[in-house]
Amino acid sequence: MNASNTSEKTYLKNLGSFLGLYTLGRNKPILQIDLDLKSLVVESLHKGQIAGAPKEQEFMLFTIPFVCNVLRSVAHSKVFAPPNSWTMGLLGLLIEIHNIPDLKLALKFEMELLLKDLQTEMEAVTIKNVLQCENLKDKYKVEQLISLTPPKTPGSSLLAPQSFTPTPLQPGTPPQQHAMPSLVPQIQDMDYTKIRINTQLPLFQKRPELTHCVQTAIESAISKLGRLVVEKSINMTL
């Protein structure tokens, strides 16, 4: 992204407004696994510090207005409006960035306008000195070095490629298809016989035939949703 490209900034601000209205404005949370706003702000700051001048604040010119427009929608929420702890934590991070010396006036204006829209005084927000955490600095420096440094040899990688020796095919023999092993267990092969329905409930005593319907519905739900949950859990751990 180019800091001088106003169309990209406008696009991100509109996207932030839409996202905020669709989620926070409707009392629906933005899950950290989907979009971590705090990490987005901190990462843009530290990546700018690693890049150095004159691009030191270039990343924040895109992230800060985006985050501010997302948070602006909490004014319409009964759950996330100040003094909600999640909202106040993000506001504290923004004010901490606001206090950075030589910060661009455009960024300060975005934060001050956000506080005005939320009818919140800057003095009422607690600053937790998130930017002073050395672990965060080291984290983004290491990630930057990893992304810029390619492995020297295939053997130096943590996951070294496995050797593969092609097997010669005999005339008339169809080629074999080798499937990669999946990390996700086969949900459909689970033993559903361990699921027990309490037949002593009044509903099942009056309508015994519903027991089979509930059993089938549970099996279908596990089969459809279980694989998605396991895949997302694996992606989080990796």
Side-chain angles (χ1 to χ4, degrees), residues 146-164:
I146 292 175
S147 62
L148 295 178
T149 306
K152 296 180 180 180
T153 60
S156 63
S157 175
L158 292 178
L159 297 177
Q162 299 179 355
S163 60
F164 173 75

Side-chain angles (χ1 to χ4, degrees), residues 32-44:
Q32 185 177 7
I33 189 176
D34 296 326
L35 178 61
D36 191 348
L37 295 177
K38 184 176 293 186
S39 295
L40 181 65
V41 173
V42 175
E43 183 178 359
S44 66

Side-chain angles (χ1 to χ4, degrees), residues 125-219:
V125 180
T126 303
I127 299 178
K128 298 182 179 180
N129 296 323
V130 176
L131 302 182
Q132 303 301 323
C133 180
E134 294 297 332
N135 293 333
L136 285 175
K137 295 180 181 179
D138 294 339
K139 172 185 175 182
Y140 291 112
K141 286 181 181 179
V142 169
E143 289 180 352
Q144 184 76 3
L145 291 174
I146 292 175
S147 62
L148 295 178
T149 306
K152 296 180 180 180
T153 60
S156 63
S157 175
L158 292 178
L159 297 177
Q162 299 179 355
S163 60
F164 173 75
T165 304
T167 304
L169 296 177
Q170 299 295 332
T173 304
Q176 298 180 358
Q177 295 182 354
H178 300 276
M180 294 295 293
S182 175
L183 295 176
V184 183
Q186 300 297 326
I187 303 297
Q188 60 270 21
D189 296 336
M190 291 181 61
D191 185 10
Y192 296 107
T193 59
K194 296 182 179 180
I195 300 177
R196 294 289 183 266
I197 306 297
N198 187 2
T199 57
Q200 302 301 320
L201 295 175
L203 176 63
F204 295 134
Q205 289 181 352
K206 294 181 181 179
R207 303 285 299 276
E209 66 276 9
L210 292 180
T211 305
H212 177 71
C213 297
V214 173
Q215 180 84 17
T216 305
I218 294 176
E219 294 177 4

